[in-house]
Amino acid sequence: MVHDVTFSSQELVLRLNQKWRFLSVRDGQVRIVNEPVAAFEKRGAKVTLKPIGPREAVRWIAWAIQEICPGAEAADDDVEPPTIAEPPMDDEAVQKVARDIVAQRHSAIAREADPNGGAHEAVALVSYLVKRGHLEVSGSVAAVARAVMPCLEEVDDTIGERLEDVLLDLDDVEELFAEADEMTKLVLRNDHVLDW
């Protein structure tokens, strides 16, 4: 919780993102490297953060709000002392926490898709397409990744068309917004692998 926050929600979000590019607030959630870490609510001069991710990352967010708002005070009532005077971790550590969450989730999905360990790139691709708004998955991400895996065995100029055919045939896929040529380019450039 952070008291005496005089900025409006919009101004607070803008200032947080300007100071820490990896930090954003969207859909009532504070995200670090696009990973939801805390629910965000501002009422009057009080900001309440409810943990979705690791508590230390949430405490860091409270400290960050306090850092950019003159006179604001961050506190965690479940810890003694409750005042958060110093950052609980440095900027790199808080980004690593979020990246580790994503990596663990991707590993779990990859194990479900292929216990033999061959689905990591397929999971990265499906997750990338979902994150970028190119794909809506209504069912199992692991099932979609499993279906995409054979397409990635041979990457050439036809990869986008093959992915499009596979994705459009799956019951687990709600919508595909990416065009075949767009998917070809992103796979050939390894955008899905390099996206951190």
Side-chain angles (χ1 to χ4, degrees):
M1 190 173 303
V2 188
H3 298 280
D4 301 323
V5 177
T6 55
F7 297 137
S8 68
S9 292
Q10 188 175 10
E11 188 176 6
L12 177 61
V13 167
L14 181 63
R15 286 176 185 250
L16 284 169
N17 186 249
Q18 284 175 338
K19 180 143 182 161
W20 295 282
R21 289 276 179 215
F22 58 85
L23 191 64
S24 62
V25 181
R26 203 168 66 241
D27 303 325
Q29 296 177 331
V30 182
R31 297 167 182 256
I32 298 173
V33 196
N34 208 29
E35 180 63 21
V37 175
F40 174 89
E41 182 180 6
K42 183 173 187 307
R43 290 184 184 228
K46 183 168 87 172
V47 171
T48 304
L49 301 168
K50 292 184 181 149
I52 297 172
R55 187 169 200 84
E56 284 304 294
V58 178
R59 288 172 51 82
W60 181 90
I61 293 165
W63 169 84
I65 293 170
Q66 171 185 271
E67 185 71 6
I68 62 168
C69 297
E73 292 184 15
D76 182 350
D77 295 335
D78 294 336
V79 177
E80 198 54 50
T83 305
I84 305 171
E86 297 291 323
M89 59 180 71
D90 64 30
D91 294 3
E92 284 185 29
V94 80
Q95 290 176 75
K96 184 180 181 320
V97 165
R99 287 187 177 111
D100 287 349
I101 293 168
V102 174
Q104 289 169 8
R105 182 172 49 249
H106 283 192
S107 290
I109 295 169
R111 279 192 304 274
E112 183 183 341
D114 180 16
N116 296 324
H120 289 282
E121 185 179 359
V123 170
L125 176 60
V126 172
S127 298
Y128 179 87
L129 291 171
V130 169
K131 185 167 96 174
R132 298 289 181 198
H134 299 309
L135 177 68
E136 284 183 18
V137 176
S138 58
S140 165
V141 173
V144 176
R146 190 177 312 113
V148 164
M149 279 173 51
C151 295
L152 297 174
E153 289 173 5
E154 186 178 329
V155 176
D156 58 23
D157 290 345
T158 66
I159 185 73
E161 293 167 19
R162 289 184 282 134
L163 285 169
E164 186 176 56
D165 290 343
V166 167
L167 291 169
L168 290 175
D169 281 346
L170 290 174
D171 291 338
D172 291 304
V173 171
E174 184 76 26
E175 290 283 344
L176 175 64
F177 300 104
E179 299 289 330
D181 60 334
E182 187 178 2
M183 288 189 289
T184 297
K185 288 176 187 171
L186 77 87
V187 171
L188 291 176
R189 287 189 313 243
N190 285 321
D191 291 355
H192 59 300
V193 175
L194 302 172
D195 181 53
W196 281 101

